[in-house]
Amino acid sequence: MNNKSLRFKVVDWLLIALMILPLVAGIALKVITTPASDGIEITGARIYATIPMPLQDLTITESQINSWLVMLSILGLALYMAHGLALKPQTKRQLLAEWAVEKVENLVSDNMGVRFIRFVPFIAAIMVISAFSSLMSLLGLRPPTSDVNVVAGWAIVVFILITYYKLKGGLFPYVKGFFEPFPVFAPFNIIGEFSTPISMSFRHYGNVLSGVVISTLIAYALQGLSKLVLGWLPGFLGAFPFLQIGLPAILSLYFDIFSGLMQAFIFAMLTMLYIATGFPEEDYERRMAKKKARAAA
């Protein structure tokens, strides 16, 4: 084995460690900070620390920590997939990375048009971070997407982009749109405009949180039912929750995997559709033509 191949493998293992260690750290932090409890507990994100600030204290919550752990893990995955890229694919990971990029490019091109092709990294980032965040429940960690503050932050960023591209046609056409088709509809149009980030965040957050709550309630109910029905068995057999075997795993396939991945896709689709449909292409082209005419004059 030459030095180059050894160095390549060492970097590979370091990147794999960057993918795994943040998740291991999250599990360890969860175990250390979770108090012992005999009953069911469904609470909000645990607050780890509070930092005094001039206007409002900054709280460091479980959702924030898990979000950073997800981003570190995704960073490790991205660097691992990009390690050793060549003009002619020589590894399966490069083929997989190129396939993923091609699929996202087609998705953006089909839903937003070629004009917005530069949104590919942004849309890919939204889908990946949302999916990874929801899948953290499989490790027993609180999904960041079950916290409305996290998802609302994403929705606000999307809303800023939507407004930015709506203003591409000019401020007057943007304001004029609130008074169409009749001025009396202006209040409803304004409410509808600002309800976009609210609906996006609550749709995503509500679906993920409801899955966590339902799975927890059913698992706890099955534990109690198992003790009630099979508690007469001798020794550890009477304390073992046999009825928890099977059904929670089946529910996890839907709530943790299918629903989480579906919500990531829906959030990305809404982002693309809101930005693309809100872009006033005719007003923008007219505005650009006037600028060119003034520049020529």
Side-chain angles (χ1 to χ4, degrees):
M1 183 182 300
N2 56 42
N3 292 332
K4 183 178 180 180
S5 62
L6 177 61
R7 185 166 58 250
F8 186 88
K9 290 184 178 181
V10 169
V11 174
D12 262 3
W13 282 109
L14 290 176
L15 295 177
I16 292 173
L18 181 59
M19 283 189 280
I20 298 175
L21 289 180
L23 303 179
V24 174
I27 296 173
L29 183 62
K30 176 81 172 181
V31 173
I32 293 172
T33 59
T34 301
S37 176
D38 296 328
I40 184 173
E41 289 187 1
I42 301 177
T43 60
R46 183 176 288 103
I47 297 177
Y48 289 131
T50 302
I51 302 175
M53 301 294 286
L55 297 179
Q56 183 178 357
D57 291 345
L58 175 63
T59 56
I60 307 301
T61 68
E62 186 179 9
S63 298
Q64 292 171 315
I65 297 296
N66 289 349
S67 294
W68 279 100
L69 295 178
V70 167
M71 288 188 286
L72 285 174
S73 183
I74 293 174
L75 174 62
L77 176 61
L79 293 175
Y80 176 78
M81 298 297 290
H83 185 219
L85 292 180
L87 293 177
K88 183 178 181 180
Q90 299 177 354
T91 59
K92 293 181 180 179
R93 80 178 78 167
Q94 182 171 347
L95 292 173
L96 180 61
E98 291 181 358
W99 174 83
V101 171
E102 182 180 355
K103 290 299 180 182
V104 179
E105 285 180 347
N106 292 337
L107 184 67
V108 172
S109 178
D110 293 341
N111 292 279
M112 302 183 74
V114 181
R115 181 191 294 274
F116 293 94
I117 197 64
R118 59 182 179 176
F119 268 81
V120 169
F122 181 73
I123 298 301
I126 285 180
M127 288 194 291
V128 172
I129 195 172
S130 176
F132 271 60
S133 296
S134 298
L135 292 176
M136 288 192 79
S137 59
L138 295 174
L139 302 176
L141 300 176
R142 181 181 181 86
T145 45
S146 66
D147 191 328
V148 68
N149 298 288
V150 174
V151 186
W154 303 349
I156 290 173
V157 172
V158 173
F159 178 69
I160 292 173
L161 286 173
I162 294 171
T163 305
Y164 171 77
Y165 277 94
K166 283 186 176 181
L167 288 171
K168 283 283 190 177
L171 180 61
F172 179 73
Y174 175 72
V175 175
K176 180 183 175 183
F178 290 114
F179 297 90
E180 295 177 348
F182 301 104
V184 71
F185 287 102
F188 301 100
N189 291 332
I190 294 174
I191 293 174
E193 183 78 3
F194 288 96
S195 66
T196 298
I198 298 175
S199 63
M200 290 183 68
S201 57
F202 273 88
R203 180 186 291 106
H204 198 335
Y205 145 79
N207 278 278
V208 176
L209 180 63
S210 62
V212 173
V213 172
I214 292 173
S215 298
T216 303
L217 291 175
I218 292 179
Y220 185 73
L222 290 173
Q223 180 183 359
L225 182 62
S226 180
K227 185 176 181 180
L228 178 65
V229 175
L230 303 175
W232 55 270
L233 293 175
F236 77 94
L237 295 177
F240 189 83
F242 285 100
L243 297 182
Q244 278 189 326
I245 301 175
L247 183 57
I250 296 175
L251 292 175
S252 178
L253 290 175
Y254 175 78
F255 290 118
D256 295 329
I257 300 178
F258 176 78
S259 181
L261 297 179
M262 180 60 68
Q263 291 307 314
F265 178 75
I266 291 175
F267 194 92
M269 285 295 298
L270 290 176
T271 299
M272 291 186 289
L273 294 177
Y274 280 136
I275 293 176
T277 57
F279 177 67
E281 188 167 359
E282 293 183 0
D283 292 334
Y284 176 75
E285 296 294 345
R286 190 180 304 113
R287 187 183 178 192
M288 291 297 102
K290 289 181 180 179
K291 283 187 176 181
K292 290 181 180 179
R294 286 198 299 267

